């Protein structure tokens, strides 16, 4: 278990280094980051002065070392737009995004798991059809569009929910639902197929040969095994939601990281974009690590093997 | 001798997309108290389906038990396993009849401790409290030859070797002192040396607990060593049944002769495996109206291709389903 | 595309009961499944048709503005007219024609994106699986890196850096999506190497090209076609999303994402402007997902069930 954890931690650190390298390269991929970051109408002298100030004309390895040492202490430079350090601004937006993704994930779990379970236990039933329909919709509806349609109906026409912002207790419901819908579909699909698969396993036949009650077999023998793939998919999906909230936050004017990203792209504020990319990757990597640990806790084959 | 289980005319089919699989076509046999009945036959001859049908363990659908009886004769009045209500059947499974499956790797639940997987049977059938059940489980583990049972109680299946897992499976099967244990190829998945240990374990358990064992196998060498009687299956039917010595000495069915001919003499120890006989096994997708072995049988004559032979007695406790008399070298007349 | 989608068991196709009504219900279910694939295929072909024959189908030039006729309602409303079936947008452009032309952008991105991702991924995966050792570790390291990133965020990031152009969008998807194909290819190559088949074939005198064409490609083709369908659908989705943020093709190009972005401003007063491109995306995506699910059941050898 310890060795497993340490190796996963090592992998995460390596991946984080990869992220830093990637971001560093990407900002320089057009060859001239200064031109990228300055307004188009800026004079050549201004651009040159900016290049000098940002250190973009120094040798690349030197720039990278600077970038890395800054990253280690959490310094990603100043936002061009606000002229203040980028990282604290990203951090300030974190709670809103976590709230949004958290509520969305909760909705996805609360609806998705029961639908998937019933679907897996009674394939072909009405509930199963509902679940599979939901999974298909979750996969096919573009969520940026669904967000617009929901605002139109539930906020503008019916007035049930505020159409933007984060000021009321129910502000979170629509954006969280839209963000969580694809995940809901994924969870239904996965739970359903896991139940179907595990129901056919030899050890379920053994459990039957012991004369156990069907209720015991489902709750004890089937569910615990279904939980294993479910945990990993939930972890992956949570990371996906945190990194994928840009449309939803933009449309609902939700003051989280996604909205900040959209704004900073509009401002061509690449130090801020860069800080967002790195920070969000860090959070996603942390969630993946946490998922791996949770996985080990419920799967004894990993817990005791390594 | 008392008969404890009487199976009559069991028919089980599977309704698949490819058509109906006629897996078991009227199998009858009985089981005596405390005996070991070996069931042999090539792959697909319906051995597992027969046994699982008796306990309602085949998947329904696609499976369906079409007809038959499986009487538990010790009960007063005798009860038919195929017609028990689900709760009654669950009391028989694990409580009165234990089952050991072929593959100990996939037959244990990977996320539950082996202790848990034994105790749940004890609490269900014997109504033991959790502490009592745990103490009993530890005793059982020691009994089937697992060292450090207190420690092993908390282990998970993947922490055991294949042979040890099969011992755990056996502990599960015998946990509630059943009258019958059905072992479906319990040694096939194991190394040769481990196989011998498992066979020994079964023999010891049987001597000490006095249960009857139905032993499904391909290994005719083992059969000679442990069985009292042998049932030979072919194409979902019984071909021949006899006391083990009679069967080896005077096999009456051409298929049995083929099986034994394929068996090296008992002094040769290496491969006692059933070597296949000329021809292919019957296609179970078509219902037969003649002897299923006729196509591969060197003695077959017109009647064999027109009628299904019934089991008929040919000696004390010896019955065969064949129209040809191997002893006399000519068709039987009845 | 998550691993579970590749291993989801085919529905209980073996469930057959004997009574007539149950059998009928079963056949109905089975047909529904097949039909869902056929429906998906038809939906996909409709989109392809629209893209290929856009000039012939669309009644207007999608770029032509006509401010006098702007913000017209769809035909089936009281104020609408069949001159403009889906109405017109804020600049008086015909929405129906724009939706038809939008299919061109989406399918171009999806097709070339998958072509690049598939080719690159297959080559990388084959090299990794075949070479093993350090080369494998490096390639797999990069693949794992890309797969563990917040994908959408990085796509947005790169698109913002590179600027709006069709080629850029295709390249972004082609490159960032190649790891998915690489992983599947590598897995298959490894599986075949480990099966011992290759050794026996080599000792029997077979040469590598023969092995590749006779055994590796036939095994790969099913999973890869299935994967390509899902990935193409995902790319169409992401392209529209980028367009919505103003990061895909230039604003003058009639793409579904651009139309959505423009329509968003008029959401409350002229909602149909944003509705139709959204429905078009959903239609395409649903068709391709249905098709993909069906292809997976039919083509994936791991799922093909024999009777036993
Ligand atoms: N779930 C099922 N669906 C369809 N057919 C089945 C199913 N289970 C068993 N069968 C068929 O029933 C027939 C008998 O199978 P069975 O498992 O009883 O053979 P067996 O004698 O135990 O063989 P083996 O020695 O390989 O275990 C086979 O043809 C098999 O294909
Ligand atoms: Mg069997």
């Amino acid at each position: 278990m310890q060795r497993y954890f340490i190796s996963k931690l090592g992998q995460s650190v390596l991946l984080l280094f990869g992220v830093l390298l990637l971001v560093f390269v990407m900002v320089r991929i057009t060859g001239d980051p200064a031109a990228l970051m300055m307004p188009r109408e800026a004079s050549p002298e201004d651009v040159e002065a900016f290049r000098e100030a940002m250190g973009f004309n120094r040798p690349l390895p030197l720039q990278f070392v600077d970038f890395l040492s800054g990253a280690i202490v959490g310094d990603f430079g100043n936002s061009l737009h606000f002229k203040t350090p980028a990282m604290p601004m990203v951090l300030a937006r974190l709670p809103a995004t976590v709230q949004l993704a958290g509520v969305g994930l909760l909705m996805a779990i609360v609806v998705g798991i029961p639908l998937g379970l019933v679907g897996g236990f009674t394939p072909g039933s009405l509930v199963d059809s509902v679940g599979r329909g939901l999974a298909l919709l979750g996969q096919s509806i573009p969520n940026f569009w669904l967000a617009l349609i929901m605002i139109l109906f539930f906020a503008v026409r019916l007035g049930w929910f505020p159409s933007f912002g984060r000021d009321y207790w129910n502000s979170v419901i629509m954006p969280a639902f839209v963000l969580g819908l694809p995940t809901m579909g994924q969870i239904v699909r996965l739970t359903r197929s896991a139940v179907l698969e595990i129901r056919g396993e030899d050890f379920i036949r053994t459990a039957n040969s012991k004369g156990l009650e069907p209720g015991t077999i489902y709750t004890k023998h089937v569910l615990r095994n279904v939980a294993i793939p479910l945990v990993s998919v939930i972890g992956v999906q949570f990371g996906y939601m945190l990194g994928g909230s840009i449309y939803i936050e933009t449309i609902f004017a939700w003051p989280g990281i996604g909205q900040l990203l959209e704004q900073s792209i509009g401002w061509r504020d690449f130090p801020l974009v860069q800080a967002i990319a790195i920070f969000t990757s860090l959070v996603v990597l942390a969630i993946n690590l946490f998922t791996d640990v949770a996985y080990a806790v419920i799967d004894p084959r990993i817990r005791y093997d390594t | 001798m008392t008969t404890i289980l009487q199976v009559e005319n069991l028919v089980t089919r599977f309704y698949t997309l490819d058509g109906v699989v006629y897996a078991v076509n009227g199998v009858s046999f009985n089981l005596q108290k405390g005996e070991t009945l070996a069931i042999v036959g090539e792959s697909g001859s319906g051995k597992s389906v027969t046994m699982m049908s008796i306990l309602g363990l085949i998947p329904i659908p696609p499976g369906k038990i079409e007809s038959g009886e499986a009487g538990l004769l010790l009960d007063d009045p005798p009860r038919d396993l195929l017609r028990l209500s689900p709760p009654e059947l669950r009391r028989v499974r694990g409580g009165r009849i234990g089952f050991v499956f072929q593959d100990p790797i996939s037959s244990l639940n990977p996320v539950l401790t082996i202790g848990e997987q034994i105790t749940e049977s004890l609490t269900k059938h014997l109504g033991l409290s959790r502490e009592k059940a745990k103490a009993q489980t530890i005793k059982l583990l020691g009994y089937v030859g697992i060292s450090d049972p207190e420690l092993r109680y908390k282990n998970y299946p993947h922490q055991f070797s294949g042979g040890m897992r099969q011992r755990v499976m056996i502990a599960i099967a015998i946990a509630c002192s059943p009258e019958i244990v059905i072992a479906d190829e319990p040694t096939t998945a194991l190394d040769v040396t481990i196989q011998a240990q498992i066979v020994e374990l079964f023999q010891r358990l049987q001597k000490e607990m006095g249960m009857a064992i139905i032993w499904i196998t391909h290994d005719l060498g083992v059969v000679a060593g442990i069985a009292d009687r042998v049932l030979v299956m072919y194409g979902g039917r019984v071909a021949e049944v006899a006391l083990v010595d009679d069967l080896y000495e005077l096999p009456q069915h051409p298929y049995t002769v083929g099986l034994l001919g394929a068996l090296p003499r008992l002094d040769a120890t290496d491969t006692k495996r059933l070597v296949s006989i000329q021809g292919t096994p019957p296609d179970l997708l078509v219902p037969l109206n003649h002897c299923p072995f006729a196509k591969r049988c060197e003695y077959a004559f017109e009647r064999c291709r027109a009628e299904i032979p019934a089991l008929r007695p040919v000696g004390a406790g010896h019955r065969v389903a064949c129209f040809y008399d191997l002893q006399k070298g000519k068709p039987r007349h009845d | 595309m998550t691993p579970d989608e590749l291993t989801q068991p085919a529905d209980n196709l073996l469930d057959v009961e004997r009574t007539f009504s149950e059998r009928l219900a079963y056949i109905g279910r089975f047909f529904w499944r097949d039909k869902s694939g056929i429906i998906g295929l038809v939906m996909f072909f409709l989109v392809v048709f629209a893209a290929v024959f856009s000039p012939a189908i669309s009644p207007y030039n999608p770029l032509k503005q006509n401010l006098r006729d702007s913000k017209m309602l769809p035909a089936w409303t009281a104020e609408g007219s069949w001159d403009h079936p889906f109405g017109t947008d804020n600049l008086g452009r015909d929405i129906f024609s724009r939706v038809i032309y939008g299919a061109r952008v989406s399918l171009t991105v999806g097709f070339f994106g998958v072509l690049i991702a598939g080719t690159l991924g297959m080559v990388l995966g084959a090299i990794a699986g075949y070479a093993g050792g350090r080369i494998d570790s490096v390639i797999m390291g990069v693949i794992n890196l890309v797969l563990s990133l917040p994908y959408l965020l990085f796509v947005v990031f790169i698109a913002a850096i590179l600027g709006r152009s069709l080629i850029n969008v295709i390249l972004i998807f082609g490159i960032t999506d190649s790891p998915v194909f690489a992983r599947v290819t590598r897995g298959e190559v490894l599986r075949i190497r480990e099966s011992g088949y290759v050794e026996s074939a080599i000792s029997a005198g077979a040469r590598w090209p023969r092995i590749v064409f006779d055994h590796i490609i036939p095994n790969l083709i099913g999973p890869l076609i299935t994967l390509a369908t899902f990935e193409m659908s995902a790319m169409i989705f992401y392209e529209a999303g980028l367009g919505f943020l103003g990061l895909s093709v230039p604003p003058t190009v009639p793409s579904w994402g651009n139309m959505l972005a423009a329509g968003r401003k008029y959401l409350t007063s002229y909602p149909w402007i944003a509705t139709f491109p959204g429905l078009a995306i959903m239609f395409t995506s649903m068709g391709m997902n249905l098709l993909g699910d069906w292809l997976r059941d039919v083509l994936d050898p791991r799922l093909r069930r024999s009777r036993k």
Side-chain angles (χ1 to χ4, degrees):
Chain A
M1 175 75 176
Q2 250 158 352
R3 254 181 42 207
Y4 171 81
F5 181 72
I6 289 170
S7 92
K8 288 285 173 195
L9 189 66
Q11 270 172 29
S12 303
V13 171
L14 260 181
L15 287 176
L16 190 61
F17 178 80
V19 168
L20 290 170
L21 184 63
L22 202 65
V23 167
F24 179 83
V25 170
M26 265 160 38
V27 169
R28 285 155 184 81
I29 207 161
T30 53
D32 188 4
L36 181 69
M37 296 186 190
M38 289 298 276
R40 282 209 183 80
E41 59 279 5
S43 68
E45 296 79 48
D46 285 350
V47 174
E48 188 48 44
F50 178 77
R51 192 174 290 135
E52 187 70 30
M54 299 292 286
F56 287 146
N57 45 10
R58 293 180 305 151
L60 280 179
L62 211 64
Q63 288 186 42
F64 187 59
V65 170
D66 267 7
F67 176 74
L68 267 191
S69 46
I72 287 167
V73 295
D75 174 9
F76 294 96
N78 283 354
S79 152
L80 300 176
H81 184 79
F82 296 99
K83 315 276 190 281
T84 55
M87 210 42 154
M89 281 189 325
V90 182
L91 280 176
R93 298 290 193 111
L94 182 64
T97 294
V98 169
Q99 184 200 8
L100 181 64
V103 174
L105 186 66
L106 203 69
M107 288 181 180
I109 289 173
V110 168
V111 178
I113 292 182
L115 274 180
L117 288 178
V118 176
F121 287 133
T122 57
S125 67
L126 183 68
V127 178
D128 186 34
S129 307
V130 170
R132 293 173 63 188
L134 189 75
L136 183 64
L137 280 183
Q139 263 183 329
S140 320
I141 296 189
N143 54 12
F144 37 92
W145 178 70
L146 180 64
L148 296 180
I149 300 296
M150 287 192 64
I151 289 178
L152 193 60
F153 274 92
F154 296 104
V156 178
R157 295 264 160 87
L158 299 172
W160 290 356
F161 301 101
S163 55
F164 63 88
R166 190 186 173 218
D167 302 323
Y168 306 96
W169 69 268
N170 60 354
S171 294
V172 74
I173 293 185
M174 278 203 303
F177 174 79
V178 177
L179 185 60
L181 187 66
T183 300
M184 201 182 280
Q186 280 290 328
I187 290 180
V188 173
R189 286 179 83 108
L190 179 94
T191 310
R192 177 177 188 277
S193 63
V195 169
L196 279 175
E197 191 179 316
I198 289 172
R199 277 197 338 170
E201 293 281 353
D202 284 353
F203 59 79
I204 297 301
R205 192 180 58 193
T206 307
N208 270 311
S209 81
K210 288 190 262 190
L212 301 181
E213 306 296 325
T216 315
I217 292 179
Y218 283 151
T219 50
K220 203 156 131 187
H221 289 264
V222 178
L223 283 194
R224 280 203 208 180
N225 282 284
V226 170
I228 294 172
L230 210 49
V231 161
S232 72
V233 91
I234 286 175
V236 168
Q237 290 287 323
F238 190 49
Y240 163 85
M241 287 163 80
L242 283 174
S245 60
I246 176 165
Y247 308 126
I248 312 298
E249 292 192 6
T250 306
I251 295 170
F252 287 96
W254 186 262
I257 294 178
Q259 192 198 30
L260 186 64
L261 175 65
E262 197 255 354
Q263 291 167 337
S264 49
I265 285 173
W267 299 322
R268 303 172 74 75
D269 187 349
F270 277 88
L272 193 51
V273 175
Q274 172 179 301
I276 291 172
I278 293 168
F279 180 73
T280 310
S281 304
L282 179 72
V283 172
V284 169
L285 288 177
I287 289 170
N288 289 351
L289 185 63
F290 180 78
T291 309
D292 284 334
V293 173
Y295 201 79
V297 168
I298 55 170
D299 190 344
R301 283 163 293 191
I302 296 177
R303 189 167 12 146
Y304 290 99
D305 232 27
T306 38
Chain B
M1 276 282 141
T2 27
T3 303
I4 54 175
L5 178 70
Q6 179 85 44
V7 174
E8 287 296 341
N9 201 26
L10 179 70
V11 176
T12 302
R13 294 175 190 155
F14 293 95
Y15 293 85
T16 71
L17 276 186
D18 296 338
V20 183
V21 181
Y22 295 84
V24 175
N25 307 300
V27 165
S28 306
F29 66 92
N30 59 51
L31 185 68
Q32 307 297 316
K33 194 170 170 32
E35 77 164 339
T36 299
L37 173 68
I39 303 198
V40 298
E42 62 197 341
S43 205
S45 54
K47 307 182 293 292
S48 303
V49 173
T50 302
M51 292 309 147
M52 292 205 269
S53 299
I54 293 172
L55 284 183
L57 291 175
I58 56 162
I60 300 173
K64 184 159 193 280
I65 298 172
E66 303 285 345
S67 65
E69 281 166 31
L72 266 185
L73 300 189
L74 284 194
D75 292 7
D76 190 29
R79 292 187 299 165
D80 180 356
L81 285 174
L82 303 185
R83 283 168 188 78
L84 290 184
S85 70
E88 285 175 315
L89 185 60
R90 286 199 286 272
R91 249 167 284 153
V92 174
R93 291 176 184 163
R96 311 269 309 273
I97 303 180
F99 218 120
V100 179
F101 295 99
Q102 172 176 342
D103 184 359
I105 310 239
S106 59
S107 294
L108 288 168
N109 191 329
V111 303
L112 298 178
T113 61
I114 59 124
E116 179 60 37
Q117 297 188 54
I118 301 174
T119 18
E120 61 182 357
S121 202
L122 293 169
T123 46
K124 150 95 196 181
H125 293 289
L126 307 181
L128 297 185
S129 67
R130 285 203 67 85
E131 302 81 71
K132 282 224 180 96
K134 179 173 177 183
Q136 179 67 17
T137 300
I138 290 171
K139 250 205 306 215
L140 273 165
L141 286 174
Y143 191 52
V144 296
I146 286 173
S147 48
D148 287 334
E150 291 87 359
L151 290 178
R152 295 306 234 160
Y153 180 90
K154 295 194 210 65
N155 281 176
Y156 289 89
H158 74 276
Q159 294 167 295
F160 285 68
S161 68
M164 286 296 156
R165 282 188 231 193
Q166 198 56 299
R167 286 174 194 267
V168 172
M169 282 299 297
I170 293 167
I172 291 175
I174 64 164
C176 306
S177 313
E179 297 126 63
I180 302 172
V181 170
I182 300 173
D184 189 350
E185 304 189 37
T187 60
T188 309
L190 306 174
D191 291 348
V192 186
T193 46
I194 314 284
Q195 285 183 8
Q197 293 172 12
I198 296 293
V199 170
E200 259 166 50
L201 174 62
F202 266 104
Q203 287 179 305
R204 196 189 92 217
L205 293 176
Q206 187 175 32
K207 207 181 296 158
E208 290 170 10
M209 302 177 61
M211 72 242 180
I213 297 179
I214 297 178
W215 185 289
I216 300 176
T217 184
H218 287 173
D219 190 338
L220 284 166
V222 170
V223 171
I226 66 163
D228 298 305
R229 287 193 302 141
V230 183
L231 183 87
V232 180
M233 284 191 66
Y234 188 84
R237 294 167 200 277
V238 177
E240 181 166 11
V241 55
L243 290 173
V244 65
D245 293 339
D246 293 349
L247 188 95
Y248 277 72
E249 230 150 75
L250 262 188
Q252 296 282 342
H253 196 288
Y255 176 64
T256 316
V257 174
L259 283 183
L260 292 171
L263 173 75
R265 298 276 19 118
L266 287 172
D267 40 3
T269 44
D270 33 275
T271 83
K272 291 176 198 150
R273 283 275 162 151
L274 201 151
V275 180
S276 56
I277 303 167
Q278 280 285 311
T280 50
D283 180 4
L284 297 175
L285 283 171
V286 275
L288 289 189
N289 52 6
H290 57 82
C291 173
F293 191 58
K295 279 209 185 90
R296 295 162 81 182
C297 180
E298 53 180 305
Y299 307 103
F301 57 105
E302 334 61 271
R303 191 174 178 198
C304 304
R305 289 182 268 271
E307 249 182 84
I308 299 177
L311 268 184
R312 72 188 73 209
V314 288
H318 195 158
R319 307 203 305 156
V320 67
C322 184
F323 294 126
Y324 192 81
D325 190 332
L326 282 179
Q327 253 55 53
K328 299 209 180 83
K330 61 179 169 69
R332 285 174 208 282
H333 294 288
D334 37 3
Chain C
M1 193 73 227
T2 57
D4 74 276
E5 291 183 318
L6 282 175
T7 51
Q8 188 183 23
D11 222 325
N12 279 14
L13 290 179
L14 291 176
D15 291 7
V16 188
E17 278 286 349
R18 294 200 66 205
T19 67
F20 182 70
S21 65
E22 276 166 333
R23 200 175 247 276
L24 209 65
Y26 167 77
I27 292 172
R29 267 212 307 283
F30 186 59
F31 185 59
W32 187 83
R33 255 196 104 79
D34 266 1
K35 212 175 57 180
S36 76
I38 290 161
I39 291 175
L41 194 68
V42 169
M43 289 166 82
F44 178 59
F45 271 138
L46 274 177
V47 179
V48 173
F49 185 80
V52 174
F53 299 105
S54 315
I57 304 171
S58 47
Y60 296 91
N61 178 340
L63 303 178
K64 186 162 166 283
Q65 304 184 3
N66 179 359
L67 289 177
R68 205 171 331 129
D69 284 342
S70 73
K71 298 167 194 158
M72 276 177 58
L73 281 150
W76 48 88
T77 56
E79 299 99 294
S81 113
W82 281 103
D83 289 346
H84 297 282
F86 291 179
T88 58
D89 68 6
N90 52 309
L91 298 173
R93 295 173 295 197
D94 180 51
I95 295 180
F96 180 69
S97 304
R98 290 176 71 73
V99 167
I100 297 290
Y101 270 90
R104 290 197 152 181
V105 178
S106 289
L107 284 187
T108 308
V109 171
F111 180 78
F112 287 102
V114 162
L115 195 69
I116 295 175
T119 314
L120 199 62
M122 272 173 75
V123 170
L124 284 176
I127 292 176
Y130 178 66
R134 185 161 300 164
I135 298 174
D136 186 27
S137 315
V138 171
I139 295 179
M140 280 312 285
V142 174
I143 287 174
N144 283 335
L145 173 64
V146 177
L147 292 179
S148 60
L149 292 177
Y151 184 74
L152 178 63
L153 191 150
F154 271 82
V155 167
V156 166
F157 187 8
I158 308 174
I161 291 171
L162 294 183
R164 306 179 77 153
S165 95
L166 185 65
I167 302 284
N168 282 350
V169 174
I170 290 174
L171 282 178
I172 291 171
F173 289 134
I175 291 169
T176 55
D177 203 41
S178 59
V180 182
F181 289 88
R183 199 173 49 176
V184 172
T185 310
R186 174 181 176 271
E188 196 60 40
V189 171
L190 282 184
R191 207 176 61 77
I192 290 168
R193 282 191 67 174
E194 276 157 20
S195 71
Y197 165 78
V198 170
E199 274 109 83
S200 56
I202 286 177
S203 65
R207 266 185 255 115
W208 264 103
R210 175 114 250 129
I211 293 168
V212 168
F213 281 104
D214 283 1
H215 292 273
I216 297 189
I217 288 181
N219 270 305
L220 263 172
I221 204 109
L224 283 184
I225 287 181
T226 310
L227 192 59
T229 311
F230 284 119
E231 293 305 304
M232 188 164 160
S233 151
M235 283 181 197
I236 289 174
F237 225 89
Y238 280 120
E239 188 280 326
L242 284 184
F244 182 71
L245 293 176
L247 293 172
S248 181
V249 289
T252 48
V253 178
S255 79
W256 295 335
N258 285 349
M259 294 171 72
L260 265 181
R264 186 186 156 201
K265 297 192 202 88
Y266 304 95
L267 183 66
T268 43
S269 24
Y270 315 111
W272 65 92
I273 300 179
T275 301
F276 291 107
L279 285 177
I281 300 167
M282 188 167 137
F283 183 86
T284 311
S285 170
M286 194 175 277
M288 299 197 68
N289 278 310
L290 286 173
L291 183 63
D293 281 340
W294 185 62
L295 283 174
R296 179 180 47 212
D297 290 352
V298 179
L299 290 180
D300 199 328
R302 278 167 296 181
L303 294 172
R304 219 174 279 149
R305 274 208 200 160
S306 59
R307 173 163 46 87
K308 236 186 153 170

